[in-house]
Amino acid sequence: MYKNRLQEYAQRSAIQLPMYKTVNEGSQHAPKFRSTVVVDGQIYTSSNTFLQRKIAEQDVSKLALEHISKKIKDEICPLTTLICENTVFCKSILNEFAVKMNLQKPIYNTVQREGLPPVFISSLVFNGVCYNGEPGRNKKEAEQLAARVVILSHLGESGSGIILSEIIKSKGKLYAALHKVKDRSHANISAVPQGPSIRAMEVAIPGASSSQAVNLQSGFVPVDLPEPLIVGPSSSKKRQKNQEEADKKLQYDTQRVLDIIEAGRLSLAALPMTQAPPSSLA
């Protein structure tokens, strides 16, 4: 009964029920009924006329189902390619399909075959039917492959195929968006500066002469810097004062270099540093 099948398709697709309009193009004694039906915004009109109204409605229902089936088949090709190339969403698609169809979620049974490398085979029961998937490299992949078998078997159906195709399209958009974000993140990482192009740079230390510049090479990991040799005056107070000033200056210089490295402006390898000249005698 084409009329009943068309109504079931509308219910499963969550669209408005078909609306029929049948007119008599003949006379009362010699009727010629021609029927038109509206399904999901599409209008279908039978090319034939019939003596009975019911037969005319059955004929136009058949016509609508044929067009809908062709539409589904045209949409199946890219969806089938998507499912065959990317199985990562197959279990998720099947679970969502079961929920929308008010069916029990699939039950998986996965076993590992002996041998190297390991091979996993998964089977599942969906809507009372058992399906076997292709071998997978791990349990997760085997279950995705088994779910794919169920999806491909239901894509050609006029009612459930529409619902399933819409789910696959939404998952496909999500998959494409994830890849877009992933590609963008890789592009951002590759665009991050990896340090100066020259192999060595000289960093001028504030308050120091040009001969006291620090030569910084790529890959440097700072280590404890040697204390400069201090030759002070005979006076112990002046020696102590000079020592404190030298310690402060060294601490400042070291912190300055560490700050530059932390800011990510330099990639350093070694720190050849000229020794501070001895203090002048009083």
Side-chain angles (χ1 to χ4, degrees), residues 137-153:
R137 293 168 294 182
N138 51 58
K139 180 180 178 182
K140 184 177 181 180
E141 185 181 72
E143 291 179 351
Q144 296 282 12
L145 291 171
R148 185 177 69 181
V149 174
V150 183
I151 293 171
L152 295 176
S153 67

Side-chain angles (χ1 to χ4, degrees), residues 55-72:
I55 298 178
E57 292 179 353
Q58 290 290 346
D59 184 74
V60 76
S61 298
K62 178 182 178 181
L63 176 66
L65 285 171
E66 289 175 351
H67 280 80
I68 292 171
S69 298
K70 184 178 183 302
K71 179 182 177 182
I72 293 174

Side-chain angles (χ1 to χ4, degrees), residues 188-253:
N188 291 339
I189 291 174
S190 61
V192 173
Q194 299 298 323
S197 57
I198 58 175
R199 299 187 61 181
M201 294 184 64
E202 292 220 335
V203 179
I205 300 175
S209 63
S210 59
S211 62
Q212 291 176 291
V214 180
N215 185 18
L216 303 178
Q217 295 182 354
S218 60
F220 166 70
V221 177
V223 295
D224 294 335
L225 301 177
E227 294 184 0
L229 178 63
I230 304 296
V231 180
S234 58
S235 172
S236 60
K237 290 184 178 180
K238 288 186 178 182
R239 257 199 322 269
Q240 184 178 1
K241 184 178 179 180
N242 290 341
Q243 180 69 45
E244 291 175 356
E245 290 177 355
D247 291 342
K248 289 181 181 180
K249 179 177 177 300
L250 181 61
Q251 184 178 3
Y252 174 81
D253 294 345

Side-chain angles (χ1 to χ4, degrees), residues 57-102:
E57 292 179 353
Q58 290 290 346
D59 184 74
V60 76
S61 298
K62 178 182 178 181
L63 176 66
L65 285 171
E66 289 175 351
H67 280 80
I68 292 171
S69 298
K70 184 178 183 302
K71 179 182 177 182
I72 293 174
K73 289 179 180 179
D74 292 340
E75 293 179 348
I76 282 178
C77 291
L79 296 179
T80 301
T81 302
L82 178 64
I83 291 298
C84 290
E85 292 180 352
N86 307 290
T87 60
V88 64
F89 287 124
C90 286
K91 287 183 67 176
S92 177
I93 291 171
L94 189 56
N95 286 337
E96 187 173 342
F97 177 65
V99 172
K100 289 193 174 184
M101 297 294 293
N102 295 320

Side-chain angles (χ1 to χ4, degrees), residues 137-189:
R137 293 168 294 182
N138 51 58
K139 180 180 178 182
K140 184 177 181 180
E141 185 181 72
E143 291 179 351
Q144 296 282 12
L145 291 171
R148 185 177 69 181
V149 174
V150 183
I151 293 171
L152 295 176
S153 67
H154 283 76
L155 268 177
E157 298 181 3
S158 58
S160 59
I162 291 291
I163 299 176
L164 193 54
S165 63
E166 293 300 324
I167 298 174
I168 296 173
K169 288 178 184 178
S170 65
K171 299 294 183 182
K173 291 178 181 179
L174 176 61
Y175 187 82
L178 289 176
H179 268 277
K180 187 175 181 180
V181 172
K182 184 179 179 181
D183 294 341
R184 187 176 300 172
S185 64
H186 280 302
N188 291 339
I189 291 174

Side-chain angles (χ1 to χ4, degrees), residues 28-48:
Q28 184 176 2
H29 300 287
K32 293 181 179 180
F33 291 102
R34 190 189 305 274
S35 186
T36 299
V37 65
V38 179
V39 184
D40 196 21
Q42 298 293 323
I43 301 175
Y44 304 94
T45 301
S46 177
S47 59
N48 302 319

